Amino acid sequence: MDQLAPPFDPKDFRRALGMFATGVTIVTTNAADGTPVGITANSFNSVSLDPPMVLWSLANNSRSLPAFSGSEFWNVHVLSNEQEALSNRFARPSEDKFAGLALDTQASGAPLLPGCSARFQCKNAFKYDGGDHTIFVGEVVQYDSCTLPPLLYVTGSYALAARKAAPVSTEPLANLEGASYSENLLGYLFGRAHFQFIHGIRGTLQQRELSDTDFFVLSLLSVRQPLAAEEIAAHIAYTGVDLSAGALQSLVQRGLLMEEPGAQPGLRLSPSGSDAILHVLAAAKAVEADLVGRLGELESAALRNLLKQAILATDPGLPKLWQAPATAA
Ligand SMILES: Cc1cc2nc3c(=O)[nH]c(=O)nc-3n(C[C@H](O)[C@H](O)[C@H](O)COP(=O)(O)O)c2cc1C
């Protein structure tokens, strides 16, 4: 490694520090006049178990420094996955960062925010100079935590945590010269996860005599209806399903879909179509609940996040199913 030669390039130094993944906290206190004060901080860390102590550091040019320097109590809020907007709110200078926020009641007087993964109510114990920051060390007088997945911060972006997975397969690699693949092939992982998940609703589909195509069409209409045949085709073309073979007519003949005449003609679910898809969706939700139970909330949130990223990265330009269609002017 090269000999250290400060001063470093500040951007590069920050980039290197950003390799260290942290949680995201909001630290709050009251100013001398009782005004609530808070800032987003990822410099939080544990210090001691006995006595229970934590630390964080605050930039000396922060507007909040006088309030924290003069206060006896401060609260650290470990933000949950759902609190990215709150993190951004407290990371910008503003006259009233607390506007419209409901606060929980607590003993110390420092503001206590709800909906966090963990909270540490602290009595300030020490204050140290830390270069251009001031380091606050506090004794934890009370804490609480829940199972909400925590928000992370790494390489300058918000992130979600997931435990490292065990290998999927215990079999040795197949040895097909030049054409073998490992269990890390995304296509294999997507495909296997999809089929193992869908397996849990096969029984319900068979009981209701529904094909995969029927399932796609009915579940689409359970989100948005009525839809014209061409709109249905556009929504599910990416699945490779071919509707020209009479799948929609068959659903109408079996009494699962109805033609809707009038100003906005199209197809909608009949009462028995609604009943059928509700049962299939209930089975799918049960499979999901079982999976979430096995993975845990943290991994489930991280999985949703990565699947959304993969879907957006490969989106062929599908109509936005969960967005209201643009209305004609
Ligand atoms: C993820 C994240 C972590 C941060 N961590 C710290 C920190 O540990 N210490 C700090 O002084 N500022 C930190 N900041 C910046 C402050 O939140 C920001 O400067 C804020 O405006 C300070 O509030 P104030 O100007 O009202 O005092 C962080 C910002 C973000 C987005």
Side-chain angles (χ1 to χ4, degrees), residues 3 15 25 58 70 85 136 155 157 164 176 211 216 234 252 256 277 279 300 302:
Q3 216 178 349
R15 200 175 307 123
T25 75
L58 177 61
F136 293 88
T155 59
S157 302
K164 295 269 286 175
L176 186 59
S211 67
F216 284 138
V252 173
L256 296 164
I277 194 60
H279 275 82
S300 302

Side-chain angles (χ1 to χ4, degrees), residues 14 22-25 27 37-44 56-66 68 87-95 97 132-134 151-154 156-158:
R14 265 176 186 262
T22 66
V24 182
T25 75
V27 192
V37 172
I39 84 145
T40 300
N42 67 341
S43 52
F44 172 73
W56 65 288
S57 64
L58 177 61
N60 289 337
N61 62 5
S62 158
R63 290 168 9 127
S64 313
L65 185 66
F68 282 103
S87 167
N88 290 334
R89 182 201 279 223
F90 279 82
R92 282 185 217 112
S94 147
E95 280 316 309
K97 296 179 181 176
D132 58 6
H133 279 57
T134 299
L151 183 64
L152 300 192
Y153 199 71
V154 64
S157 302
Y158 293 115

Side-chain angles (χ1 to χ4, degrees), residues 121-144:
Q121 299 183 48
C122 303
K123 185 173 191 301
N124 196 69
F126 304 104
K127 219 171 60 169
Y128 300 106
D129 275 349
D132 58 6
H133 279 57
T134 299
I135 302 163
F136 293 88
V137 179
E139 180 155 1
V140 180
V141 290
Q142 213 161 323
Y143 75 91
D144 60 277

Side-chain angles (χ1 to χ4, degrees), residues 95-129:
E95 280 316 309
D96 191 4
K97 296 179 181 176
F98 290 83
L101 292 183
L103 297 178
D104 282 350
T105 49
Q106 35 61 57
S108 76
L112 194 60
L113 300 164
C116 306
S117 296
R119 301 184 296 192
F120 301 93
Q121 299 183 48
C122 303
K123 185 173 191 301
N124 196 69
F126 304 104
K127 219 171 60 169
Y128 300 106
D129 275 349

